[in-house]
Amino acid sequence: MSRIVYVNGAYLPEEEATVSIFDRGFLMADGVYEVTSVLGGKLIDFEGHVARLARSLAELDMAQPISHQELLAAHRELVARNEIDEGLVYLQVTRGNPGDRDFAFPDPETTPGTVVMFTQSKPGLANSPAAAAGIKVISIPDLRWHRRDIKTVQLLYPSMGKMAALAAGAGDAWLVEDGMVTEGTSNNAYIVKGHKIITRELSADILHGITRAAVLRYAAEAQMVVEERSFSIEEAQGADEAFVTSATTFVMPVVEIDGASVGAGTPGPVAGRLREIYLEESLKAAI
Ligand code: PLP
């Protein structure tokens, strides 16, 4: 069965889905995206992702080309049509196709945004072997632009970081700016010291992770102490535990940073407990 994808209101087999070569997403990386995970056929944290999409669009002066209700209906339709049990829905909105290339933004009245959505099936997402083993990370300089709070499709540098990590035998790279970790290539970064969970405070330096917000809320509800501040690679290497969070990896333990074991070099109890709580609570709230 060929995958059914969504393009500007139409549901099409992936082979028949097209966007223009003049689309500003293609020519200028002028677009934003969201990734919502699917567990048991249901959407995890959908409301958070839609709220962040609205914010990303507003920050870039882009019109919202599709309503909340239409977004939810399309997500559900794609999950159903593609029989997704565990996996994700990818959503991208670009500034559309003005019919030519120009640095100036087109008039949104005459150039509507392009909306595409597709699913990816990922059986075993929740019971991931990587989560049981933990991942290794390397550090690299953070050379991205300075509006990382906007979830744009400008993902070349994070892709280069991921390639550098894979070449070094690691699972991901942590980005470092002014001596401090900002975040992972596609996740938020945390360390645990004693009873404290430490993660960088929100600003334009990092993406405001939807999973981050949920995990910090669940941590506080479980009487865990959360400190929102920057930390260095050296502090992380000396921490008791480290982990990352994202919509598709949930809470993922980090067991090695730049070749140095973190804690015992195995996934720690705090990350393990947070992963359990996150999966349990977000499954309960899934729609
Ligand atoms: N930071 C970056 C740079 C990301 O790309 C992502 C997710 O793609 C995250 C953090 C985690 O965000 P979320 O929990 O909303 O998936």
Side-chain angles (χ1 to χ4, degrees), residues 41-128:
K42 290 190 168 178
L43 302 165
I44 303 294
D45 257 330
F46 178 78
E47 296 302 329
H49 290 287
V50 171
R52 186 172 60 192
L53 174 74
R55 181 179 181 276
S56 293
L57 291 169
E59 290 296 313
L60 295 175
D61 279 331
M62 281 170 71
Q64 173 98 35
I66 179 168
S67 74
H68 184 287
Q69 271 321 101
E70 286 168 326
L71 272 175
L72 178 57
H75 274 65
R76 285 179 160 158
E77 185 75 22
L78 288 176
V79 168
R81 287 206 194 193
N82 294 294
E83 297 174 7
I84 304 297
D85 179 45
E86 288 194 28
L88 62 89
V89 181
Y90 177 88
L91 155 69
Q92 180 169 325
V93 180
T94 76
R95 208 181 300 271
N97 162 28
D100 208 343
R101 181 175 181 273
D102 190 350
F103 278 77
F105 293 170
D107 181 348
E109 292 295 320
T110 48
T111 303
T114 301
V115 184
V116 305
M117 287 176 241
F118 58 81
T119 54
Q120 291 182 335
S121 178
K122 295 195 180 287
L125 197 63
N127 269 327
S128 124

Coordinates of all heavy atoms in Angstrom, one line a residue, residues 41-128:
G41 N -2.0 4.6 18.0 CA -2.9 5.2 17.0 C -3.4 6.6 17.4 O -4.2 7.2 16.7
K42 N -2.8 7.1 18.5 CA -3.3 8.4 19.0 C -2.2 9.5 19.0 O -1.0 9.1 19.2 CB -3.9 8.3 20.4 CG -5.2 7.5 20.4 CD -5.8 7.6 21.8 CE -7.2 7.1 21.7 NZ -7.9 7.1 23.0
L43 N -2.6 10.7 19.0 CA -1.6 11.8 18.9 C -1.2 12.3 20.3 O -2.0 12.5 21.2 CB -2.3 13.0 18.2 CG -2.8 12.7 16.8 CD1 -3.8 13.8 16.3 CD2 -1.7 12.6 15.8
I44 N 0.1 12.4 20.4 CA 0.7 12.8 21.7 C 1.0 14.3 21.7 O 1.6 14.8 20.8 CB 2.1 12.0 22.0 CG1 1.9 10.5 21.9 CG2 2.7 12.5 23.3 CD1 1.0 9.9 23.0
D45 N 0.5 15.0 22.7 CA 0.8 16.4 22.9 C 0.4 17.3 21.7 O 1.0 18.3 21.3 CB 2.3 16.6 23.1 CG 2.5 16.9 24.6 OD1 1.7 17.5 25.3 OD2 3.6 16.5 25.1
F46 N -0.7 16.9 21.0 CA -1.1 17.6 19.7 C -1.3 19.1 20.0 O -0.9 19.9 19.2 CB -2.4 16.9 19.2 CG -2.9 17.6 17.9 CD1 -2.3 17.4 16.7 CD2 -4.0 18.5 18.0 CE1 -2.8 18.1 15.6 CE2 -4.4 19.2 16.9 CZ -3.8 19.0 15.7
E47 N -2.0 19.4 21.1 CA -2.3 20.8 21.4 C -1.0 21.6 21.5 O -1.0 22.8 21.0 CB -3.2 21.0 22.6 CG -4.5 20.3 22.5 CD -5.4 20.8 21.4 OE1 -5.3 22.0 21.0 OE2 -6.2 20.1 20.8
G48 N 0.0 21.1 22.1 CA 1.2 21.8 22.3 C 1.9 22.1 20.9 O 2.4 23.2 20.7
H49 N 1.9 21.1 20.1 CA 2.5 21.3 18.8 C 1.8 22.3 17.9 O 2.4 23.1 17.2 CB 2.6 19.9 18.0 CG 3.6 19.0 18.7 ND1 5.0 19.2 18.6 CD2 3.4 17.9 19.5 CE1 5.6 18.3 19.3 NE2 4.7 17.5 19.8
V50 N 0.4 22.3 18.0 CA -0.3 23.3 17.2 C -0.1 24.7 17.7 O 0.0 25.7 17.0 CB -1.8 22.9 17.2 CG1 -2.7 24.0 16.6 CG2 -2.0 21.6 16.4
A51 N 0.0 24.8 19.1 CA 0.2 26.1 19.7 C 1.6 26.6 19.2 O 1.7 27.8 18.9 CB 0.1 26.0 21.2
R52 N 2.6 25.8 19.2 CA 3.9 26.2 18.8 C 3.9 26.6 17.3 O 4.6 27.5 16.9 CB 5.0 25.2 19.1 CG 6.4 25.7 18.9 CD 7.5 24.7 19.3 NE 7.4 23.4 18.7 CZ 8.0 22.4 19.1 NH1 8.9 22.4 20.1 NH2 7.9 21.2 18.5
L53 N 3.2 25.8 16.5 CA 3.1 26.1 15.1 C 2.6 27.6 14.9 O 3.2 28.4 14.1 CB 2.2 25.2 14.4 CG 1.9 25.5 12.9 CD1 3.2 25.2 12.1 CD2 0.7 24.7 12.4
A54 N 1.5 27.9 15.6 CA 0.9 29.2 15.5 C 2.0 30.3 15.9 O 2.1 31.3 15.3 CB -0.3 29.3 16.4
R55 N 2.8 30.0 16.9 CA 3.8 31.0 17.4 C 4.9 31.1 16.3 O 5.3 32.2 16.0 CB 4.4 30.5 18.7 CG 5.4 31.5 19.2 CD 6.0 31.1 20.6 NE 7.0 32.1 20.9 CZ 8.3 32.1 20.5 NH1 8.7 31.2 19.7 NH2 9.1 33.1 20.9
S56 N 5.3 30.0 15.8 CA 6.4 30.0 14.7 C 5.9 30.9 13.6 O 6.6 31.7 13.0 CB 6.7 28.6 14.3 OG 7.4 27.9 15.3
L57 N 4.7 30.6 13.1 CA 4.1 31.4 12.0 C 4.0 32.9 12.3 O 4.4 33.7 11.5 CB 2.7 30.8 11.6 CG 2.6 29.4 11.1 CD1 1.2 28.9 11.0 CD2 3.2 29.4 9.7
A58 N 3.6 33.2 13.5 CA 3.4 34.6 13.9 C 4.8 35.3 13.9 O 4.9 36.4 13.4 CB 2.7 34.7 15.2
E59 N 5.8 34.6 14.4 CA 7.1 35.2 14.5 C 7.7 35.5 13.2 O 8.6 36.4 13.0 CB 8.1 34.3 15.3 CG 7.8 34.2 16.8 CD 7.9 35.5 17.6 OE1 9.0 36.1 17.4 OE2 7.0 35.8 18.3
L60 N 7.3 34.8 12.1 CA 7.8 35.0 10.8 C 6.8 35.7 9.9 O 7.0 35.8 8.7 CB 8.1 33.6 10.2 CG 9.2 32.8 10.9 CD1 9.4 31.4 10.2 CD2 10.6 33.6 10.8
D61 N 5.8 36.3 10.5 CA 4.8 37.1 9.7 C 4.1 36.2 8.6 O 3.9 36.7 7.5 CB 5.4 38.3 9.1 CG 5.5 39.5 10.0 OD1 4.6 39.5 10.9 OD2 6.4 40.3 9.9
M62 N 3.9 35.0 9.0 CA 3.3 34.1 8.0 C 1.8 33.9 8.5 O 1.5 33.7 9.7 CB 4.0 32.7 7.9 CG 5.2 32.7 7.1 SD 6.2 31.2 7.3 CE 5.2 30.1 6.4
A63 N 0.9 33.8 7.5 CA -0.5 33.6 7.8 C -0.7 32.1 8.2 O 0.1 31.3 7.8 CB -1.3 33.9 6.6
Q64 N -1.7 31.9 9.0 CA -2.0 30.5 9.4 C -3.0 30.0 8.3 O -4.1 30.4 8.3 CB -2.7 30.5 10.8 CG -3.3 29.2 11.2 CD -2.4 28.5 12.2 OE1 -1.7 29.1 13.0 NE2 -2.4 27.2 12.1
P65 N -2.5 29.1 7.4 CA -3.3 28.7 6.3 C -4.3 27.6 6.6 O -5.1 27.3 5.7 CB -2.3 28.3 5.2 CG -1.1 27.8 6.0 CD -1.2 28.5 7.4
I66 N -4.3 27.1 7.8 CA -5.2 26.0 8.0 C -5.7 26.1 9.5 O -4.9 26.4 10.4 CB -4.5 24.6 7.7 CG1 -5.3 23.4 8.0 CG2 -3.1 24.6 8.5 CD1 -4.8 22.1 7.5
S67 N -6.9 25.8 9.7 CA -7.5 26.0 11.1 C -7.1 24.8 12.0 O -6.6 23.7 11.5 CB -9.0 26.0 11.0 OG -9.5 24.7 10.8
H68 N -7.2 25.0 13.3 CA -6.9 24.1 14.3 C -7.7 22.8 14.0 O -7.2 21.7 14.1 CB -7.2 24.7 15.6 CG -6.9 23.8 16.8 ND1 -7.6 22.7 17.2 CD2 -5.9 23.9 17.7 CE1 -7.1 22.2 18.2 NE2 -6.0 22.9 18.6
Q69 N -9.0 22.9 13.8 CA -9.9 21.8 13.6 C -9.5 21.0 12.3 O -9.4 19.8 12.3 CB -11.3 22.2 13.4 CG -12.1 22.3 14.8 CD -11.7 21.2 15.7 OE1 -10.9 21.4 16.6 NE2 -12.3 20.0 15.5
E70 N -9.1 21.7 11.3 CA -8.7 21.1 10.0 C -7.3 20.3 10.3 O -7.1 19.2 9.7 CB -8.5 22.1 8.9 CG -9.8 22.6 8.3 CD -9.6 23.8 7.4 OE1 -8.7 24.6 7.7 OE2 -10.3 24.0 6.5
L71 N -6.5 20.9 11.0 CA -5.2 20.3 11.3 C -5.4 18.9 12.1 O -4.8 17.9 11.7 CB -4.3 21.2 12.2 CG -3.4 22.2 11.5 CD1 -2.7 23.1 12.5 CD2 -2.4 21.4 10.6
L72 N -6.3 19.0 13.1 CA -6.5 17.8 13.9 C -7.2 16.7 13.0 O -6.8 15.6 13.0 CB -7.4 18.1 15.1 CG -7.9 17.0 16.0 CD1 -6.6 16.2 16.5 CD2 -8.7 17.4 17.1
A73 N -8.2 17.2 12.2 CA -8.8 16.2 11.3 C -7.9 15.6 10.3 O -7.9 14.3 10.1 CB -10.0 16.9 10.6
A74 N -6.9 16.4 9.8 CA -6.0 15.8 8.8 C -5.0 14.9 9.5 O -4.6 13.8 8.9 CB -5.2 17.0 8.1
H75 N -4.5 15.2 10.7 CA -3.6 14.3 11.4 C -4.3 13.0 11.6 O -3.7 11.9 11.4 CB -3.3 14.9 12.8 CG -2.1 15.9 12.7 ND1 -2.1 17.1 12.1 CD2 -0.8 15.8 13.3 CE1 -0.9 17.7 12.2 NE2 -0.1 16.9 12.9
R76 N -5.6 13.0 12.1 CA -6.3 11.8 12.4 C -6.5 11.0 11.1 O -6.4 9.8 11.1 CB -7.6 12.1 13.1 CG -7.4 12.5 14.5 CD -8.7 12.8 15.2 NE -8.6 12.8 16.6 CZ -9.4 13.4 17.5 NH1 -10.4 14.1 17.0 NH2 -9.3 13.3 18.8
E77 N -6.9 11.7 10.0 CA -7.2 11.0 8.8 C -5.9 10.3 8.3 O -6.0 9.2 7.8 CB -7.6 12.1 7.8 CG -8.0 11.6 6.4 CD -9.4 11.0 6.4 OE1 -10.2 11.3 7.3 OE2 -9.7 10.1 5.5
L78 N -4.8 11.0 8.4 CA -3.5 10.4 7.9 C -3.1 9.1 8.7 O -2.7 8.1 8.2 CB -2.4 11.4 7.9 CG -2.5 12.4 6.8 CD1 -1.3 13.5 6.9 CD2 -2.4 11.8 5.4
V79 N -3.3 9.3 10.1 CA -3.0 8.2 10.9 C -3.9 7.0 10.6 O -3.4 5.8 10.5 CB -3.2 8.6 12.4 CG1 -3.2 7.3 13.3 CG2 -2.1 9.6 12.8
A80 N -5.2 7.2 10.4 CA -6.1 6.2 10.0 C -5.8 5.6 8.7 O -5.7 4.3 8.5 CB -7.6 6.7 10.1
R81 N -5.7 6.4 7.6 CA -5.5 5.9 6.3 C -4.2 5.1 6.1 O -4.1 4.2 5.3 CB -5.4 7.0 5.3 CG -6.8 7.7 5.1 CD -6.8 8.3 3.7 NE -7.9 9.2 3.5 CZ -8.3 9.6 2.3 NH1 -7.6 9.3 1.2 NH2 -9.3 10.4 2.2
N82 N -3.2 5.5 6.9 CA -1.9 4.8 6.8 C -1.7 3.8 7.9 O -0.6 3.2 8.1 CB -0.7 5.8 6.8 CG -0.8 6.7 5.6 OD1 -0.6 6.3 4.5 ND2 -1.1 8.0 5.8
E83 N -2.7 3.6 8.7 CA -2.7 2.5 9.7 C -1.5 2.7 10.6 O -0.8 1.7 10.9 CB -2.8 1.1 9.1 CG -4.1 0.9 8.4 CD -4.2 -0.4 7.6 OE1 -3.3 -1.2 7.7 OE2 -5.2 -0.6 6.8
I84 N -1.3 3.9 11.2 CA -0.2 4.1 12.0 C -0.5 3.7 13.5 O -1.5 4.3 14.0 CB 0.3 5.6 12.0 CG1 0.6 6.0 10.6 CG2 1.5 5.8 12.9 CD1 1.7 5.3 9.9
D85 N 0.2 2.8 14.0 CA 0.0 2.5 15.4 C 1.1 3.3 16.2 O 0.8 4.0 17.1 CB 0.2 1.0 15.6 CG 0.0 0.6 17.1 OD1 -0.9 1.2 17.7 OD2 0.9 -0.1 17.6
E86 N 2.4 3.1 15.9 CA 3.4 3.9 16.5 C 4.2 4.6 15.4 O 4.6 3.9 14.4 CB 4.4 3.0 17.3 CG 3.8 2.5 18.6 CD 4.8 1.9 19.6 OE1 6.0 2.3 19.5 OE2 4.4 1.0 20.3
G87 N 4.4 5.8 15.6 CA 5.1 6.6 14.5 C 4.9 8.1 14.7 O 4.9 8.5 15.9
L88 N 4.8 8.8 13.7 CA 4.7 10.3 13.8 C 3.9 10.9 12.6 O 3.8 10.2 11.6 CB 6.1 10.9 13.9 CG 7.0 10.7 12.7 CD1 6.9 11.8 11.7 CD2 8.5 10.7 13.2
V89 N 3.4 12.1 12.8 CA 2.9 12.9 11.7 C 3.8 14.1 11.6 O 4.0 14.8 12.6 CB 1.4 13.3 12.0 CG1 0.9 14.2 10.8 CG2 0.5 12.2 12.3
Y90 N 4.3 14.3 10.4 CA 5.2 15.5 10.1 C 4.3 16.5 9.4 O 3.5 16.1 8.5 CB 6.3 15.1 9.1 CG 7.2 16.2 8.7 CD1 8.2 16.7 9.5 CD2 6.9 16.9 7.5 CE1 9.0 17.7 9.1 CE2 7.6 18.0 7.1 CZ 8.7 18.4 7.9 OH 9.4 19.5 7.5
L91 N 4.4 17.7 9.8 CA 3.6 18.8 9.3 C 4.5 20.0 8.9 O 5.3 20.4 9.7 CB 2.6 19.3 10.4 CG 2.1 20.8 10.3 CD1 1.1 20.9 9.1 CD2 1.3 21.1 11.6
Q92 N 4.3 20.5 7.7 CA 5.2 21.6 7.2 C 4.3 22.7 6.6 O 3.4 22.4 5.8 CB 6.2 21.1 6.2 CG 7.1 22.2 5.7 CD 8.4 21.7 5.0 OE1 8.9 20.7 5.3 NE2 8.8 22.4 4.0
V93 N 4.6 23.9 7.0 CA 3.9 25.1 6.4 C 4.9 26.0 5.8 O 5.8 26.4 6.5 CB 3.0 25.8 7.4 CG1 2.3 27.0 6.8 CG2 2.0 24.9 8.1
T94 N 4.8 26.3 4.5 CA 5.8 27.2 3.9 C 5.1 28.5 3.5 O 3.8 28.5 3.4 CB 6.5 26.6 2.7 OG1 5.7 26.6 1.6 CG2 7.0 25.2 3.0
R95 N 5.8 29.5 3.1 CA 5.2 30.8 2.6 C 4.7 30.6 1.2 O 4.3 31.6 0.6 CB 6.2 31.9 2.8 CG 5.6 33.3 3.0 CD 6.6 34.4 3.1 NE 7.5 34.2 4.1 CZ 7.4 34.7 5.4 NH1 6.3 35.4 5.7 NH2 8.3 34.5 6.3
G96 N 4.6 29.5 0.7 CA 3.9 29.2 -0.6 C 4.7 29.5 -1.8 O 5.9 29.6 -1.8
N97 N 4.0 29.5 -2.9 CA 4.6 29.6 -4.2 C 4.2 30.9 -4.9 O 3.1 31.0 -5.5 CB 4.1 28.3 -5.1 CG 4.3 28.5 -6.6 OD1 5.2 29.3 -7.0 ND2 3.5 27.9 -7.3
P98 N 5.1 31.9 -4.9 CA 4.8 33.1 -5.6 C 5.0 33.1 -7.1 O 4.8 34.1 -7.8 CB 5.7 34.1 -4.9 CG 6.8 33.3 -4.3 CD 6.4 31.9 -4.3
G99 N 5.4 32.0 -7.6 CA 5.6 31.8 -9.1 C 6.9 32.3 -9.6 O 7.2 32.3 -10.8
D100 N 7.8 32.7 -8.7 CA 9.1 33.2 -9.1 C 10.0 33.2 -7.8 O 9.5 33.1 -6.7 CB 9.1 34.5 -9.8 CG 10.2 34.7 -10.8 OD1 11.2 33.9 -10.7 OD2 10.1 35.6 -11.7
R101 N 11.3 33.6 -8.0 CA 12.2 33.7 -6.9 C 12.5 35.1 -6.6 O 12.8 35.9 -7.5 CB 13.5 32.9 -7.2 CG 14.5 33.0 -6.0 CD 15.7 32.2 -6.3 NE 16.7 32.2 -5.2 CZ 17.6 33.1 -5.0 NH1 17.8 34.1 -5.9 NH2 18.4 33.0 -3.9
D102 N 12.3 35.5 -5.3 CA 12.5 36.9 -4.9 C 12.8 36.9 -3.4 O 12.1 36.1 -2.7 CB 11.2 37.7 -5.2 CG 11.4 39.2 -5.0 OD1 12.5 39.6 -4.5 OD2 10.5 40.0 -5.4
F103 N 13.7 37.7 -2.9 CA 13.9 37.8 -1.5 C 12.7 38.3 -0.7 O 12.4 37.9 0.4 CB 15.2 38.6 -1.1 CG 16.4 37.7 -1.3 CD1 17.0 37.5 -2.5 CD2 17.1 37.2 -0.2 CE1 18.1 36.7 -2.7 CE2 18.2 36.4 -0.3 CZ 18.7 36.1 -1.6
A104 N 12.0 39.3 -1.3 CA 10.9 39.9 -0.6 C 9.8 38.9 -0.4 O 9.5 38.1 -1.3 CB 10.4 41.1 -1.4
F105 N 9.1 39.0 0.7 CA 8.0 38.0 0.9 C 6.9 38.4 0.0 O 6.6 39.5 -0.3 CB 7.4 38.2 2.4 CG 8.3 37.8 3.5 CD1 8.0 38.1 4.8 CD2 9.5 37.1 3.3 CE1 8.8 37.8 5.9 CE2 10.3 36.7 4.3 CZ 9.9 37.1 5.6
P106 N 6.2 37.4 -0.6 CA 5.0 37.6 -1.4 C 3.8 38.1 -0.6 O 3.8 37.9 0.7 CB 4.7 36.3 -2.0 CG 5.2 35.3 -1.0 CD 6.4 35.9 -0.4
D107 N 2.9 38.7 -1.2 CA 1.6 39.1 -0.5 C 0.8 37.9 -0.2 O 0.5 37.1 -1.0 CB 0.8 40.0 -1.5 CG -0.5 40.5 -0.9 OD1 -0.8 40.0 0.2 OD2 -1.1 41.4 -1.5
P108 N 0.5 37.7 1.1 CA -0.2 36.5 1.6 C -1.6 36.4 1.0 O -2.2 35.3 0.9 CB -0.2 36.6 3.1 CG 0.1 38.0 3.4 CD 0.9 38.6 2.3
E109 N -2.1 37.5 0.5 CA -3.5 37.5 -0.1 C -3.5 36.8 -1.4 O -4.4 36.1 -1.7 CB -3.9 39.0 -0.4 CG -4.2 39.8 0.8 CD -5.4 39.3 1.6 OE1 -6.4 38.9 1.0 OE2 -5.3 39.2 2.9
T110 N -2.3 36.9 -2.2 CA -2.3 36.3 -3.5 C -1.4 35.0 -3.4 O -1.5 34.2 -4.4 CB -1.7 37.2 -4.5 OG1 -0.5 37.8 -4.0 CG2 -2.7 38.3 -4.8
T111 N -0.6 34.8 -2.4 CA 0.2 33.6 -2.3 C -0.1 32.9 -1.0 O 0.5 33.2 0.1 CB 1.7 34.0 -2.4 OG1 2.0 34.7 -3.6 CG2 2.6 32.7 -2.3
P112 N -1.0 32.0 -1.0 CA -1.3 31.2 0.2 C -0.2 30.3 0.6 O 0.6 29.9 -0.3 CB -2.6 30.4 -0.2 CG -2.6 30.3 -1.6 CD -1.8 31.5 -2.2
G113 N -0.1 30.0 1.9 CA 1.0 29.1 2.3 C 0.7 27.7 1.8 O -0.4 27.3 1.4
T114 N 1.8 26.9 1.7 CA 1.7 25.5 1.3 C 1.7 24.7 2.6 O 2.5 24.9 3.5 CB 3.0 25.1 0.5 OG1 3.0 26.0 -0.7 CG2 2.9 23.7 0.1
V115 N 0.8 23.7 2.6 CA 0.7 22.9 3.8 C 0.9 21.4 3.4 O 0.1 20.9 2.5 CB -0.7 23.0 4.5 CG1 -0.7 22.1 5.8 CG2 -1.0 24.5 4.9
V116 N 1.9 20.7 3.9 CA 2.0 19.3 3.6 C 2.1 18.5 4.9 O 2.6 19.1 5.9 CB 3.2 19.0 2.7 CG1 3.2 19.7 1.4 CG2 4.5 19.2 3.5
M117 N 1.6 17.3 4.9 CA 1.6 16.4 6.1 C 1.9 15.0 5.6 O 1.3 14.7 4.5 CB 0.3 16.5 6.9 CG 0.1 17.7 7.7 SD -1.6 17.6 8.5 CE -2.3 19.1 7.7
F118 N 2.7 14.3 6.3 CA 2.8 12.9 6.0 C 3.1 12.1 7.3 O 3.6 12.7 8.3 CB 3.9 12.6 4.9 CG 5.3 13.1 5.2 CD1 6.1 12.4 6.0 CD2 5.7 14.4 4.7 CE1 7.4 12.9 6.3 CE2 6.9 14.8 5.0 CZ 7.8 14.1 5.8
T119 N 2.9 10.8 7.2 CA 3.1 10.0 8.4 C 4.5 9.2 8.2 O 4.9 9.0 7.1 CB 2.0 8.9 8.6 OG1 1.9 8.2 7.4 CG2 0.7 9.6 9.0
Q120 N 5.0 8.8 9.3 CA 6.1 7.8 9.3 C 5.8 6.7 10.3 O 5.5 7.1 11.5 CB 7.5 8.5 9.6 CG 8.0 9.4 8.6 CD 9.3 10.0 8.9 OE1 9.7 10.1 10.1 NE2 10.1 10.4 7.9
S121 N 5.8 5.5 9.9 CA 5.5 4.4 10.8 C 6.8 4.0 11.5 O 7.8 3.8 10.9 CB 5.0 3.2 10.0 OG 4.8 2.1 10.9
K122 N 6.8 4.0 12.9 CA 8.0 3.6 13.6 C 7.6 2.6 14.7 O 7.5 3.0 15.9 CB 8.6 4.9 14.2 CG 9.2 5.8 13.1 CD 10.1 6.8 13.7 CE 10.6 7.8 12.7 NZ 11.6 7.2 11.8
P123 N 7.4 1.4 14.3 CA 7.1 0.4 15.3 C 8.2 0.3 16.4 O 9.4 0.4 16.1 CB 7.0 -1.0 14.5 CG 6.9 -0.6 13.1 CD 7.6 0.8 13.0
G124 N 7.8 0.2 17.6 CA 8.8 0.1 18.7 C 9.3 1.4 19.2 O 10.3 1.5 19.9
L125 N 8.6 2.5 18.8 CA 9.0 3.8 19.2 C 9.1 3.9 20.8 O 10.1 4.5 21.3 CB 8.0 4.8 18.7 CG 8.4 6.3 18.6 CD1 9.6 6.5 17.7 CD2 7.2 7.1 18.2
A126 N 8.1 3.4 21.4 CA 8.0 3.6 22.9 C 9.0 2.6 23.6 O 9.7 2.9 24.6 CB 6.6 3.3 23.4
N127 N 9.1 1.4 23.0 CA 10.0 0.4 23.6 C 11.4 0.3 22.9 O 11.8 -0.7 22.5 CB 9.4 -1.0 23.5 CG 8.6 -1.3 24.7 OD1 8.9 -0.9 25.8 ND2 7.5 -2.0 24.5
S128 N 12.0 1.5 22.8 CA 13.2 1.6 22.0 C 14.4 1.0 22.6 O 14.7 1.3 23.8 CB 13.4 3.1 21.6 OG 14.7 3.5 22.0

